[in-house]
Amino acid sequence: MKFSLLVAIVPEEMEQECIDAATEAGAVGMTLMSGRGIGGERKKTFFGLTYEGSQSVMLMTLEKGLSLKVLKAIRDLLSPSGEDSKGLVMTLPVEHLGGIDMSQIKRFEERLRHEV
């Protein structure tokens, strides 16, 4: 079984929506971290200060075939019109993996059986 790491950087206020979309798409676990970002265009606020807002970084280890489905679910939330996105989502191949919960492996296998 091959795995991918899905990384999603989303606005903090959209975190729960993205968690729900990922779970509905088949993700069974994730790690969440807080972050701050600096975009290409800085947003001006009062007195010339800039504020980019808080972001959530979501990390998910997924079976490779499932990762695209989860990526699309989150992407559709971040960019509903297909244009300006409110965040970033990507997958990276995982070469070596240790410590994954075996119940996740069983869920991935069940999902694959149902799809085939």
Side-chain angles (χ1 to χ4, degrees), residues 12-95:
E12 193 173 73
E13 63 272 10
M14 293 185 71
E15 179 183 85
Q16 191 59 51
E17 285 178 83
C18 291
I19 290 170
D20 294 342
T23 303
E24 268 186 48
V28 293
M30 63 191 74
T31 298
L32 304 170
M33 298 182 287
S34 294
R36 293 186 312 150
I38 299 173
E41 293 182 30
R42 299 203 177 193
K43 298 174 186 169
K44 297 272 184 185
T45 60
F46 292 107
F47 307 114
L49 300 172
T50 60
Y51 175 72
E52 293 294 327
S54 297
Q55 298 171 326
S56 292
V57 180
M58 304 168 65
L59 303 173
M60 293 169 243
T61 303
L62 302 166
E63 185 270 324
K64 189 175 180 176
L66 178 62
S67 65
L68 184 58
K69 183 178 179 183
V70 176
L71 181 141
K72 287 179 179 179
I74 295 172
R75 180 203 60 199
D76 291 347
L77 282 174
L78 296 175
S79 182
S81 64
E83 294 179 13
D84 290 341
S85 181
K86 297 176 186 169
L88 177 69
V89 60
M90 66 185 130
T91 62
L92 303 165
V94 173
E95 292 294 322

Side-chain angles (χ1 to χ4, degrees), residues 1-6 60-64 92-102 104-105 108:
M1 186 175 291
K2 295 190 182 228
F3 293 93
S4 291
L5 174 67
L6 186 140
M60 293 169 243
T61 303
L62 302 166
E63 185 270 324
K64 189 175 180 176
L92 303 165
V94 173
E95 292 294 322
H96 305 284
L97 179 65
I100 192 166
D101 183 357
M102 291 308 290
Q104 280 188 292
I105 300 289
F108 292 147

